[in-house]
Short mmCIF file of all heavy atoms in Angstrom, two decimals:
data_model
loop_
_atom_site.label_atom_id
_atom_site.label_comp_id
_atom_site.label_asym_id
_atom_site.label_seq_id
_atom_site.Cartn_x
_atom_site.Cartn_y
_atom_site.Cartn_z
N LEU A 1254 14.19 -21.60 4.39
CA LEU A 1254 13.16 -21.27 3.21
C LEU A 1254 14.03 -21.28 1.91
O LEU A 1254 13.50 -21.81 0.92
CB LEU A 1254 12.63 -19.83 3.52
CG LEU A 1254 11.51 -19.95 4.44
CD1 LEU A 1254 10.97 -18.42 4.65
CD2 LEU A 1254 10.30 -20.64 3.86
N LEU A 1258 13.37 -23.76 -1.17
CA LEU A 1258 13.07 -23.32 -2.51
C LEU A 1258 14.04 -24.04 -3.54
O LEU A 1258 13.46 -24.43 -4.55
CB LEU A 1258 13.24 -21.90 -2.56
CG LEU A 1258 13.03 -21.16 -3.82
CD1 LEU A 1258 11.52 -21.38 -4.26
CD2 LEU A 1258 13.13 -19.58 -3.79
N LEU A 1261 13.08 -27.69 -3.78
CA LEU A 1261 11.87 -27.93 -4.42
C LEU A 1261 11.95 -27.70 -6.01
O LEU A 1261 11.58 -28.58 -6.86
CB LEU A 1261 10.91 -27.04 -3.93
CG LEU A 1261 9.43 -27.22 -4.46
CD1 LEU A 1261 8.77 -28.49 -3.92
CD2 LEU A 1261 8.50 -26.03 -4.14
N ALA A 1296 10.23 -17.87 -13.83
CA ALA A 1296 9.23 -16.87 -13.98
C ALA A 1296 8.20 -17.15 -12.78
O ALA A 1296 7.73 -16.14 -12.18
CB ALA A 1296 8.47 -17.09 -15.22
N ALA A 1297 7.82 -18.36 -12.50
CA ALA A 1297 6.86 -18.61 -11.50
C ALA A 1297 7.39 -18.09 -10.12
O ALA A 1297 6.70 -17.48 -9.31
CB ALA A 1297 6.46 -20.14 -11.38
N ALA A 1298 8.63 -18.44 -9.79
CA ALA A 1298 9.21 -18.07 -8.60
C ALA A 1298 9.31 -16.58 -8.53
O ALA A 1298 9.03 -15.96 -7.33
CB ALA A 1298 10.61 -18.68 -8.46
N ALA A 1299 9.68 -15.90 -9.51
CA ALA A 1299 9.91 -14.43 -9.50
C ALA A 1299 8.48 -13.73 -9.25
O ALA A 1299 8.42 -12.84 -8.45
CB ALA A 1299 10.49 -13.94 -10.64
N ALA A 1300 7.45 -14.23 -9.98
CA ALA A 1300 6.16 -13.73 -9.92
C ALA A 1300 5.63 -13.87 -8.44
O ALA A 1300 4.99 -12.99 -7.86
CB ALA A 1300 5.17 -14.33 -10.99
N GLY A 1301 5.82 -15.05 -7.94
CA GLY A 1301 5.34 -15.29 -6.47
C GLY A 1301 6.04 -14.40 -5.57
O GLY A 1301 5.45 -13.75 -4.72
N ALA A 1302 7.38 -14.19 -5.75
CA ALA A 1302 8.10 -13.25 -4.85
C ALA A 1302 7.69 -11.91 -5.02
O ALA A 1302 7.48 -11.11 -4.05
CB ALA A 1302 9.66 -13.37 -5.15
N ALA A 1303 7.43 -11.45 -6.25
CA ALA A 1303 6.98 -10.02 -6.35
C ALA A 1303 5.57 -9.85 -5.91
O ALA A 1303 5.34 -8.73 -5.18
CB ALA A 1303 6.97 -9.79 -7.97
N LEU A 1304 4.69 -10.73 -6.10
CA LEU A 1304 3.32 -10.50 -5.43
C LEU A 1304 3.43 -10.50 -3.89
O LEU A 1304 2.80 -9.63 -3.22
CB LEU A 1304 2.42 -11.65 -5.90
CG LEU A 1304 1.69 -11.51 -7.24
CD1 LEU A 1304 0.91 -12.72 -7.60
CD2 LEU A 1304 0.89 -10.26 -7.25
N ALA A 1305 4.20 -11.32 -3.27
CA ALA A 1305 4.36 -11.49 -1.90
C ALA A 1305 5.02 -10.21 -1.38
O ALA A 1305 4.56 -9.68 -0.32
CB ALA A 1305 5.18 -12.57 -1.46
N LEU A 1306 5.87 -9.65 -2.10
CA LEU A 1306 6.53 -8.31 -1.68
C LEU A 1306 5.54 -7.20 -1.68
O LEU A 1306 5.47 -6.45 -0.59
CB LEU A 1306 7.66 -7.97 -2.65
CG LEU A 1306 9.02 -8.72 -2.47
CD1 LEU A 1306 9.96 -8.37 -3.65
CD2 LEU A 1306 9.66 -8.32 -1.16
N VAL A 1484 0.85 -14.50 -14.02
CA VAL A 1484 0.04 -15.41 -13.26
C VAL A 1484 -1.53 -15.05 -13.22
O VAL A 1484 -2.31 -15.71 -12.75
CB VAL A 1484 0.45 -15.61 -11.79
CG1 VAL A 1484 1.84 -16.16 -11.74
CG2 VAL A 1484 0.38 -14.22 -11.11
N SER A 1488 -4.52 -14.92 -8.41
CA SER A 1488 -3.71 -15.54 -7.35
C SER A 1488 -3.78 -14.67 -6.12
O SER A 1488 -3.83 -13.60 -6.17
CB SER A 1488 -2.29 -15.69 -7.88
OG SER A 1488 -1.44 -14.83 -7.10
N PHE A 1489 -3.80 -15.25 -4.88
CA PHE A 1489 -3.80 -14.46 -3.72
C PHE A 1489 -2.53 -14.74 -3.02
O PHE A 1489 -2.50 -14.54 -1.75
CB PHE A 1489 -5.08 -14.91 -2.92
CG PHE A 1489 -6.25 -14.09 -3.26
CD1 PHE A 1489 -6.93 -14.50 -4.51
CD2 PHE A 1489 -6.78 -13.01 -2.61
CE1 PHE A 1489 -8.05 -13.76 -4.97
CE2 PHE A 1489 -7.96 -12.33 -3.05
CZ PHE A 1489 -8.49 -12.68 -4.13
N VAL A 1490 -1.50 -14.85 -3.62
CA VAL A 1490 -0.11 -15.04 -3.10
C VAL A 1490 0.20 -13.73 -2.37
O VAL A 1490 0.71 -13.75 -1.19
CB VAL A 1490 0.85 -15.34 -4.03
CG1 VAL A 1490 2.17 -15.27 -3.46
CG2 VAL A 1490 0.62 -16.70 -4.68
N GLY A 1491 -0.22 -12.58 -2.87
CA GLY A 1491 0.08 -11.35 -2.15
C GLY A 1491 -0.57 -11.15 -0.94
O GLY A 1491 -0.14 -10.54 -0.05
N MET A 1493 -1.53 -14.02 1.02
CA MET A 1493 -1.16 -15.09 1.92
C MET A 1493 0.30 -15.08 2.37
O MET A 1493 0.53 -15.38 3.57
CB MET A 1493 -1.47 -16.45 1.17
CG MET A 1493 -3.02 -16.58 0.88
SD MET A 1493 -3.48 -18.18 0.24
CE MET A 1493 -2.68 -18.05 -1.39
N ALA A 1494 1.12 -14.86 1.51
CA ALA A 1494 2.58 -15.02 1.87
C ALA A 1494 2.99 -14.13 3.01
O ALA A 1494 3.77 -14.61 3.93
CB ALA A 1494 3.53 -14.70 0.60
N PRO A 1495 2.59 -12.77 3.04
CA PRO A 1495 3.07 -12.15 4.17
C PRO A 1495 2.47 -12.61 5.52
O PRO A 1495 3.16 -12.60 6.53
CB PRO A 1495 2.54 -10.68 3.91
CG PRO A 1495 2.17 -10.64 2.46
CD PRO A 1495 1.91 -12.11 2.07
N MET A 1497 1.92 -15.71 6.17
CA MET A 1497 2.64 -16.93 6.58
C MET A 1497 3.94 -16.46 7.10
O MET A 1497 4.42 -17.04 8.10
CB MET A 1497 2.80 -17.72 5.37
CG MET A 1497 1.45 -18.40 4.94
SD MET A 1497 1.69 -19.34 3.37
CE MET A 1497 0.09 -19.68 3.08
N ALA A 1498 4.66 -15.46 6.52
CA ALA A 1498 5.91 -15.09 7.10
C ALA A 1498 5.79 -14.68 8.56
O ALA A 1498 6.61 -14.97 9.45
CB ALA A 1498 6.48 -13.91 6.13
N ALA A 1509 10.66 -10.07 7.56
CA ALA A 1509 9.35 -10.45 7.24
C ALA A 1509 9.19 -10.25 5.62
O ALA A 1509 8.70 -11.19 5.11
CB ALA A 1509 8.40 -9.62 7.86
N VAL A 1510 9.80 -9.18 5.17
CA VAL A 1510 9.63 -8.99 3.64
C VAL A 1510 10.53 -9.92 2.91
O VAL A 1510 9.92 -10.60 2.00
CB VAL A 1510 10.27 -7.59 3.46
CG1 VAL A 1510 10.43 -7.41 1.83
CG2 VAL A 1510 9.29 -6.46 3.82
N THR A 1511 11.66 -10.42 3.37
CA THR A 1511 12.39 -11.46 2.80
C THR A 1511 11.65 -12.79 2.83
O THR A 1511 11.56 -13.49 1.82
CB THR A 1511 13.83 -11.55 3.35
OG1 THR A 1511 14.34 -10.28 3.48
CG2 THR A 1511 14.76 -12.40 2.52
N GLY A 1512 11.19 -13.07 3.96
CA GLY A 1512 10.51 -14.36 4.21
C GLY A 1512 9.29 -14.45 3.33
O GLY A 1512 9.06 -15.48 2.63
N ALA A 1513 8.47 -13.34 3.31
CA ALA A 1513 7.44 -13.33 2.44
C ALA A 1513 7.67 -13.66 0.88
O ALA A 1513 6.98 -14.42 0.27
CB ALA A 1513 6.61 -12.00 2.60
N ALA A 1514 8.78 -12.92 0.44
CA ALA A 1514 9.17 -13.20 -0.79
C ALA A 1514 9.56 -14.58 -1.19
O ALA A 1514 9.11 -15.30 -2.16
CB ALA A 1514 10.32 -12.26 -1.21
N LEU A 1515 10.26 -15.32 -0.30
CA LEU A 1515 10.74 -16.61 -0.37
C LEU A 1515 9.44 -17.57 -0.43
O LEU A 1515 9.31 -18.50 -1.23
CB LEU A 1515 11.63 -17.02 0.69
CG LEU A 1515 13.05 -16.43 0.47
CD1 LEU A 1515 13.87 -16.71 1.78
CD2 LEU A 1515 13.75 -16.99 -0.73
N ILE A 1516 8.50 -17.31 0.61
CA ILE A 1516 7.29 -18.13 0.66
C ILE A 1516 6.48 -17.91 -0.72
O ILE A 1516 5.94 -18.93 -1.19
CB ILE A 1516 6.45 -17.73 1.89
CG1 ILE A 1516 7.15 -18.04 3.13
CG2 ILE A 1516 5.11 -18.36 1.79
CD1 ILE A 1516 6.57 -17.65 4.46
N GLY A 1517 6.36 -16.72 -1.18
CA GLY A 1517 5.63 -16.44 -2.37
C GLY A 1517 6.26 -17.28 -3.52
O GLY A 1517 5.51 -17.85 -4.30
N ALA A 1518 7.54 -17.22 -3.67
CA ALA A 1518 8.23 -18.01 -4.65
C ALA A 1518 7.97 -19.53 -4.60
O ALA A 1518 7.70 -20.07 -5.50
CB ALA A 1518 9.67 -17.72 -4.66
N LEU A 1519 8.09 -19.99 -3.24
CA LEU A 1519 7.83 -21.39 -3.05
C LEU A 1519 6.43 -21.75 -3.43
O LEU A 1519 6.25 -22.80 -4.16
CB LEU A 1519 7.89 -21.68 -1.48
CG LEU A 1519 9.24 -22.26 -1.07
CD1 LEU A 1519 9.20 -22.27 0.48
CD2 LEU A 1519 9.47 -23.69 -1.54
N MET A 1520 5.47 -20.96 -3.02
CA MET A 1520 4.09 -21.29 -3.33
C MET A 1520 3.78 -21.36 -4.88
O MET A 1520 3.27 -22.24 -5.40
CB MET A 1520 3.10 -20.23 -2.73
CG MET A 1520 2.86 -20.40 -1.27
SD MET A 1520 2.05 -18.99 -0.58
CE MET A 1520 0.49 -19.17 -1.51
N MET A 1521 4.49 -20.40 -5.64
CA MET A 1521 4.10 -20.25 -6.96
C MET A 1521 4.87 -21.40 -7.71
O MET A 1521 4.37 -21.89 -8.62
CB MET A 1521 4.66 -18.83 -7.61
CG MET A 1521 3.79 -18.33 -8.58
SD MET A 1521 2.14 -18.55 -8.38
CE MET A 1521 1.55 -16.89 -8.40
N VAL A 1522 6.11 -21.81 -7.27
CA VAL A 1522 6.75 -22.94 -7.94
C VAL A 1522 6.03 -24.17 -7.84
O VAL A 1522 5.79 -25.01 -8.68
CB VAL A 1522 8.24 -23.01 -7.19
CG1 VAL A 1522 8.84 -24.40 -7.67
CG2 VAL A 1522 9.07 -21.90 -7.77
N ALA A 1523 5.49 -24.41 -6.53
CA ALA A 1523 4.64 -25.57 -6.24
C ALA A 1523 3.37 -25.49 -7.09
O ALA A 1523 2.91 -26.54 -7.63
CB ALA A 1523 4.32 -25.69 -4.78
N ALA A 1524 2.81 -24.24 -7.11
CA ALA A 1524 1.59 -24.14 -7.90
C ALA A 1524 1.75 -24.49 -9.34
O ALA A 1524 1.02 -25.17 -10.05
CB ALA A 1524 1.02 -22.82 -7.72
N ALA A 1543 -2.31 -21.88 -7.02
CA ALA A 1543 -1.59 -21.03 -5.84
C ALA A 1543 -2.68 -20.83 -4.75
O ALA A 1543 -2.38 -20.96 -3.53
CB ALA A 1543 -1.05 -19.80 -6.35
N TRP A 1550 -3.81 -23.68 4.08
CA TRP A 1550 -2.55 -23.60 4.93
C TRP A 1550 -2.76 -22.32 5.90
O TRP A 1550 -2.56 -22.27 7.02
CB TRP A 1550 -1.29 -23.46 4.14
CG TRP A 1550 -0.07 -23.43 5.12
CD1 TRP A 1550 0.10 -23.83 6.39
CD2 TRP A 1550 1.14 -22.90 4.70
NE1 TRP A 1550 1.32 -23.64 6.79
CE2 TRP A 1550 2.10 -23.14 5.85
CE3 TRP A 1550 1.74 -22.34 3.62
CZ2 TRP A 1550 3.33 -22.68 5.91
CZ3 TRP A 1550 3.03 -21.86 3.63
CH2 TRP A 1550 3.84 -22.14 4.69
#
Side-chain angles (χ1 to χ4, degrees):
Chain A
L1254 282 174
L1258 183 59
L1261 187 70
L1304 278 178
L1306 282 172
V1484 297
S1488 109
F1489 275 75
V1490 172
M1493 296 185 292
M1497 292 177 184
V1510 165
T1511 311
L1515 287 171
I1516 291 174
L1519 262 173
M1520 281 171 64
M1521 214 43 121
V1522 167
W1550 185 23

